[in-house]
Structure formats: C-alpha cells, structure tokens
Amino acid sequence: MVTQRFGIGIFLESLIASLIVGIVIPCIFILKALFSGMEMQWSLYLTGATFSFLVTFCIYIANIPIVQVMQKKEKAFRSQVLRVALELILTMTISGIVMFVFFSLFAKFLQMDLADNHNNLYDNIVIALIVDVIVITLMEVVFFFHKWKTSLVDSETLRRQHVEIQFAAITSQINPHFLFNSLNVLGSLIESDPEKAAAFTREFARIYRYVLDSNERFVVP
C-alpha cells in the first residue's frame, strides 16, 4: 500500500536519487561554462550541488506519493494514457513550482538579481521538467512490468485450477464406471467360482482402500 511504502524506503530512495542528481546536474553547467569560455569557480559548483540536491529531494518527496496514489487508483480512469497524462501534468507542475521557489531563495541568499538570471531559471526549470518526465516514465515502465508479471502468474494459476477441475471431473466419472464393472464381474464369479469371488472381493476392497488413501494426490506409485 502507499502508506506502507511511504516511509524509510522512500526517504532512502529520495536521498540516493538527490545525491546523484546533485552531483550530475552541476556538471552540465560546468561543461556549459567551459565551452562558453567562462571561468569556473568551484564554490559555485558546491552551491549548485547543494541547490540540485535540495530541489531533487523536495520534488521526489512531493511527487512520489502522487504517482503511487494514481497507480493505485488506476481503475478509476477510463484509460491508462489519461492517467499517465494527468500524472505528468501534476508532477511537472509541482516540479516547476519547487524549482522556482528554491531558485528564488538561492538568488536572494547569493544576492543575485532574479531578473538578470531569468535564463538560468528557465534552464533549471527545463532540466527539472525533463528529469521529471524521465523518472515518471521509468516508474510507469516498472509499474506495467509488475502488472504484466502478475497477470502471467494469475493466468498460470487459473490454468492450473482448470486442469485440477478437469482432473476431478474425470476422476468422478471413472470411479462409478470402475465400481459398476467390478460388481458385474463379482456377480458372475459368485455363481461360477465362489473361491475366486471371495479372492476378488478381498482384492477389490484392497484396491478401493488404496484409492481412498490416495484420493488427494495427483501422482501415486
């Protein structure tokens, strides 16, 4: 359930994902600065890494419950496409808002003019939206894979139950025929050979005892 998953597991997932993004995303801006001939300051890299980590962590924590609830309530939607589209709209909106809030806070903390850095704000929002789409896509792929795997297990279970029902039906048909034929043989032996009839009766009782003892097993010696 969602409430079960949203705990230490989600926190650790958010932490690991945020650390990875916090390291990788600033590298993109470093490469952009190097190719444009700008001088790179490592203090800015640390600031960017901290910024990316915090933004990713908040986006992850905010969006994962939405995805889990949408997946859990999938039957309430007419189509999976509609559900995924609504899921993307909600998560992308949250990602954009979180990015804008954190960028504004960092700009104020670093005493940067927000109007002069609107290009950087735009770049960060675009990156946040791209990462959001990638993450949601991966989560949906995993979700549909689990559904497919579960459907295979359910299908195999139903097939096995069908075979068991068929087996039980065949068994229920065989027993009366076997009993009927055996009693006919016994009836003819009683008149023609009483000793064989007695031996047949004992053997017949032994066989039926074995059948009753082995009734719940599919394979017997």
Side-chain angles (χ1 to χ4, degrees):
M1 296 177 62
V2 176
T3 54
Q4 292 174 337
R5 283 205 59 199
F6 192 74
I8 188 66
I10 293 298
F11 179 80
L12 291 177
E13 288 178 14
S14 306
L15 195 62
I16 294 172
S18 301
L19 287 173
I20 294 173
V21 174
I23 295 172
V24 173
I25 296 299
C27 292
I28 298 175
F29 289 94
I30 289 176
L31 293 175
K32 182 179 178 180
L34 291 176
F35 281 112
S36 61
M38 297 173 59
E39 182 179 354
M40 183 61 200
Q41 298 180 8
W42 289 104
S43 59
L44 294 179
Y45 173 81
L46 294 176
T47 302
T50 303
F51 172 79
S52 299
F53 171 80
L54 293 175
V55 170
T56 304
F57 185 80
C58 291
I59 289 176
Y60 205 102
I61 291 295
N63 285 340
I64 290 302
I66 294 176
V67 176
Q68 291 179 346
V69 170
M70 298 283 281
Q71 290 178 348
K72 184 180 178 182
K73 304 292 184 182
E74 61 167 333
K75 294 182 179 179
F77 295 89
R78 293 182 178 179
S79 68
Q80 294 296 319
V81 175
L82 177 62
R83 179 183 65 79
V84 174
L86 181 59
E87 190 175 279
L88 283 172
I89 292 173
L90 290 174
T91 55
M92 290 174 70
T93 300
I94 292 175
S95 299
I97 293 173
V98 171
M99 178 61 74
F100 177 79
V101 171
F102 270 90
F103 191 91
S104 301
L105 292 174
F106 268 72
K108 185 176 181 180
F109 176 75
L110 298 174
Q111 296 181 349
M112 297 187 306
D113 190 351
L114 192 61
D116 295 336
N117 289 273
H118 64 277
N119 288 332
N120 288 333
L121 174 60
Y122 174 79
D123 291 342
N124 278 276
I125 291 178
V126 169
I127 291 175
L129 297 181
I130 292 174
V131 171
D132 179 81
V133 171
I134 293 173
V135 171
I136 296 300
T137 301
L138 291 175
M139 291 186 68
E140 287 300 327
V141 169
V142 172
F143 175 70
F144 282 112
F145 174 76
H146 282 305
K147 280 190 62 179
W148 172 75
K149 190 175 180 181
T150 302
S151 67
L152 286 181
V153 174
D154 292 341
S155 177
E156 179 61 23
T157 301
L158 290 174
R159 188 193 68 81
R160 182 175 178 180
Q161 290 176 348
H162 179 67
V163 171
E164 290 176 357
I165 292 172
Q166 285 183 322
F167 177 78
I170 293 173
T171 302
S172 65
Q173 292 174 1
I174 290 175
N175 287 339
H177 285 88
F178 176 69
L179 181 61
F180 176 77
N181 293 333
S182 298
L183 290 177
N184 280 336
V185 172
L186 179 60
S188 63
L189 284 175
I190 290 174
E191 296 179 356
S192 61
D193 193 339
E195 291 184 2
K196 284 187 178 181
F200 182 88
T201 302
R202 289 192 296 270
E203 191 65 18
F204 182 66
R206 187 186 66 82
I207 290 174
Y208 246 87
R209 169 59 61 186
Y210 181 76
V211 169
L212 292 175
D213 292 340
S214 307
N215 190 41
E216 299 297 326
R217 291 183 287 176
F218 288 106
V219 179
V220 294

